[in-house]
Amino acid sequence: MVEIVKPLTVLARRSREPVVAQTVRSTAAAVISYVVALNLSREPAPLTAPLTALLVVQVTLYSTLTTGIRRVNSVVAGVLIAIGFSVLVGLTWWSLGLIIFASLVIGHFVRVDEFVPEVAISAMLVLGVTRVAETAWDRVLETLIGAVVGLLFNVLLVPPVWVEPAGQAIQEMARRMRRLLEHMATAVGRHIPVEEAAARLYEARRLDHDITQVDASLRQAEDSLRLNPRVREGLLSRIVLRTGLDALEISAVVLRVMSRTLTDLAKERSEETLFPPEVAVALEDVLGHLARAVESFAVLITSQVSASAEAAENRLAEDLAAARTGRDRAAALLLSRVREHPRQWQLQGALLAEMDRVLAELDVEQRSARLWEELDRRSRELRERYPKLHRLRRLLTGR
């Protein structure tokens, strides 16, 4: 029984992944468009319909309505160009070059943006299988069938909301940041070789790659929230995630600078510990609380309004308060030590300043202020972009 349940559990979990869902949805839309085209087109194998459906169906409703329409324009433009060439010259080596050139030029005029190459691709495909203009018009019909099926597929069967994968990516990045801070905490009180400090610096630099991946996942989640009837507070959810990732991104940059500072200290203090024992204890305490605060911050921004989010906010506030107390104690100890032995005082001061920056980025009150500022800015942009819609909404709400 366990052997049967485990594969089913894995299959259910994988079905919630964007790649798996997109594969299933695209396949279904292509098959449906092909069946419809078989009944409406005179072509024995109307493959342009499923081709268009594959291009139109996107992983989110928002991307379907935006990029999908541009894709339809590119395919229709390519088909029309192919019709003209099939009447005039047919397919030769020089006409192929001419149709590619014309398609790329016309693609810029019909404003299909990044899908300009698809104009030429569609034209070549149609010209390669179509030599008679009357038959080519069936390609236009197939294109429209594929476009309509693809659009209706995502409108009637709304794609899932991809917030959970983005939240998991953010939390995984926060866990890596926590491990890096914990490594720093264990290093400040002992002598570390330069190679070990450089390895931690390399690990901090790899966070840039993590941020790029998380940002791509978050953009997909933001698109899934736009125009989605399943979501009531889509704008607020997008702002919470985006501003939270911005704070973590800045913190990751600061961690890289902190790793650089510790590496420089390791070079200068090759025969001794990085910090004296009493200073090291205070810095270790600060870094430990910062490590826990980063993870609590990630849980807070990726959780809905629930007990887990409230608990994460309480833990975050406690760790930040303890980190600030430890930071002040470490600053006082460092100041007294620097007055006696001012070696590398600039590196020690830089380390404190970098801790302050992380504390500021994770601060709960400052985060609330940033959320309100961003909400106000987005609302103002919407009012300026769609003034008539704003007046209609005020009229309907009686304000």
Side-chain angles (χ1 to χ4, degrees):
M1 184 65 179
V2 176
E3 295 179 356
I4 299 176
V5 172
K6 187 175 180 180
L8 293 177
T9 304
V10 174
L11 180 62
R13 185 171 62 251
R14 292 295 301 274
S15 65
R16 295 194 295 268
E17 296 180 2
V19 174
V20 176
Q22 174 68 2
T23 301
V24 174
R25 295 173 65 84
S26 297
T27 303
V31 171
I32 293 173
S33 64
Y34 181 75
V35 173
V36 174
L38 279 176
N39 293 280
L40 298 180
S41 174
R42 292 174 296 179
E43 284 290 311
L47 295 177
T48 308
L51 169 66
T52 307
L54 282 174
L55 295 175
V56 170
V57 174
Q58 300 296 308
V59 72
T60 66
L61 178 60
Y62 178 78
S63 59
T64 296
L65 296 177
T66 53
T67 64
I69 293 175
R70 293 200 300 274
R71 285 181 181 273
V72 171
N73 290 340
S74 66
V75 174
V76 170
V79 170
L80 294 177
I81 293 171
I83 290 174
F85 272 81
S86 66
V87 173
L88 297 176
V89 294
L91 181 61
T92 62
W93 67 266
W94 60 267
S95 66
L96 176 64
L98 188 59
I99 194 174
I100 293 174
F101 179 80
S103 299
L104 295 177
V105 172
I106 294 174
H108 289 285
F109 284 100
V110 297
R111 296 182 179 182
V112 294
D113 298 336
E114 69 270 29
F115 304 123
V116 169
E118 291 185 9
V119 179
I121 293 172
S122 301
M124 287 189 294
L125 288 175
V126 173
L127 189 63
V129 298
T130 303
R131 300 297 179 87
V132 184
E134 290 78 6
T135 309
W137 282 107
D138 286 330
R139 301 294 178 180
V140 178
L141 175 62
E142 295 168 21
T143 301
L144 295 177
I145 291 173
V148 171
V149 170
L151 290 173
L152 288 178
F153 196 87
N154 264 13
V155 170
L156 299 178
L157 301 175
V158 181
V161 177
W162 302 115
V163 173
E164 184 177 351
Q168 292 174 350
I170 290 174
Q171 291 189 28
E172 178 58 31
M173 187 184 74
R175 282 191 286 269
R176 292 194 60 182
M177 294 171 65
R178 173 176 180 166
R179 288 194 295 268
L180 181 59
L181 282 165
E182 289 173 343
H183 283 308
M184 293 181 187
T186 60
V188 292
R190 61 186 178 89
H191 164 67
I192 59 172
V194 177
E195 294 78 11
E196 182 181 340
R200 297 283 81 80
L201 176 59
Y202 177 73
E203 183 180 346
R205 287 171 176 166
R206 288 180 58 190
L207 287 174
D208 291 339
H209 179 66
D210 291 347
I211 291 172
T212 302
Q213 292 183 325
V214 174
D215 185 69
S217 179
L218 181 55
R219 284 199 303 271
Q220 186 178 77
E222 290 175 327
D223 286 348
S224 71
L225 292 170
R226 290 188 175 101
L227 306 178
N228 197 318
R230 300 181 183 180
V231 182
R232 296 188 59 184
E233 298 292 341
L235 177 61
L236 179 59
S237 299
R238 296 201 310 269
I239 292 177
V240 168
L241 289 172
R242 175 56 61 183
T243 55
L245 180 59
D246 289 344
L248 287 176
E249 182 177 359
I250 295 173
S251 299
V253 173
V254 177
L255 290 188
R256 188 170 70 241
V257 179
M258 290 173 64
S259 300
R260 176 80 262 180
T261 301
L262 293 177
T263 303
D264 291 341
L265 273 174
K267 293 178 180 178
E268 296 293 337
R269 302 182 177 185
S270 58
E271 301 296 332
E272 56 186 312
T273 60
L274 294 185
F275 293 95
E278 67 276 9
V279 178
V281 170
L283 290 175
E284 184 176 350
D285 182 61
V286 178
L287 292 170
H289 285 296
L290 282 179
R292 291 187 289 273
V294 166
E295 191 166 17
S296 297
F297 183 85
V299 174
L300 174 62
I301 65 175
T302 56
S303 300
Q304 302 297 324
V305 180
S306 61
S308 60
E310 184 177 354
E313 184 173 1
N314 293 334
R315 288 196 304 270
L316 175 61
E318 293 172 359
D319 285 322
L320 290 178
R324 290 189 183 95
T325 302
R327 183 266 175 209
D328 293 340
R329 185 170 65 256
L333 291 171
L334 279 174
L335 180 59
S336 63
R337 297 287 301 184
V338 165
R339 286 172 176 170
E340 299 175 6
H341 306 285
R343 292 183 309 145
Q344 296 93 40
W345 62 267
Q346 68 277 17
L347 294 177
Q348 301 175 45
L351 187 62
L352 290 177
E354 291 148 12
M355 290 178 176
D356 288 341
R357 185 59 187 269
V358 177
L359 287 170
E361 289 299 325
L362 302 182
D363 185 74
V364 177
E365 294 183 0
Q366 290 194 26
R367 169 164 172 74
S368 299
R370 284 198 297 268
L371 282 176
W372 286 112
E373 290 173 2
E374 188 66 15
L375 277 171
D376 184 63
R377 185 183 68 82
R378 296 285 184 92
S379 299
R380 188 166 57 252
E381 287 180 353
L382 288 175
R383 288 197 301 268
E384 293 173 354
R385 186 179 302 177
Y386 308 108
K388 294 182 179 179
L389 180 62
H390 175 63
R391 287 195 294 269
L392 177 62
R393 181 180 298 175
R394 289 178 63 88
L395 180 64
L396 294 176
T397 57
R399 288 186 289 173

